[in-house]
Amino acid sequence: MSRIGKQPIPVPGSVKVEIKGTHVKVTGPKGSLERNIRPEIDCQAESEQIVLQPKGNSKQVMAFWGMTRSLLNNMVIGVDQGFEKKLAVEGVGYRASIAGNKLTLNVGYSNPVEFDLPDGISADVDKDNKITVRGIDKELVGLTAARIRDIRKPEPYKGKGIRYIDEHIVRKVGKAGAK
């Protein structure tokens, strides 16, 4: 029995859920998301909650049950509140700026790196070179933040690069030096 899958998904009053077979559409104040769920999972919309039941009891079906519940819960939260990831750009001369749908990063390469934000994702850059990635799809927000971080990963000696705000970089000691 899945501990996660058996919990009902609460649906706020501002969110509307449509279920047609294995297709689920969630609409809220921030937008709408659609997803096809696994046929091994039965999805029912009850009064102000969604209940999932497995069609079988194999280990794989139980894993799909919990995963499907998490995916649908993230859809409901996304269209109601949205998701965000914060990144910090650290290093002497390292800067980030945004113009329209294009994020420009000066992170130690000979030319600035231009990153096109996908549809449904917005980003802000504040004066402290902190990038905030926002959207309603948790998967897309995390993927976009990871791609931005991959442009210049933080290095372990001085910590220069792009890192998540809550990420801790383990520092290494440099050269021993002349004695």
Side-chain angles (χ1 to χ4, degrees), residues 64-132:
F64 288 145
W65 187 21
M67 179 191 72
T68 304
R69 192 256 180 217
S70 294
L71 292 172
L72 292 179
N73 188 45
N74 288 339
M75 288 171 62
V76 170
I77 293 170
V79 297
D80 189 36
Q81 301 166 6
F83 292 102
E84 70 176 29
K85 288 266 189 182
K86 294 187 180 203
L87 300 152
V89 180
E90 290 184 0
V92 176
Y94 285 18
R95 288 185 302 280
S97 62
I98 189 149
N101 209 23
K102 210 174 270 277
L103 180 67
T104 305
L105 299 163
N106 293 316
V107 287
Y109 298 118
S110 58
N111 294 320
V113 178
E114 300 210 339
F115 182 84
D116 292 323
L117 295 171
D119 293 336
I121 297 294
S122 64
D124 296 327
V125 179
D126 64 4
K127 63 182 187 300
D128 298 335
N129 276 334
K130 305 272 190 271
I131 303 169
T132 305

Side-chain angles (χ1 to χ4, degrees), residues 12-16 26-32 76-82 136:
S14 60
V15 176
K16 183 179 157 200
V26 181
T27 308
K30 294 208 178 242
S32 75
V76 170
I77 293 170
V79 297
D80 189 36
Q81 301 166 6
I136 61 173

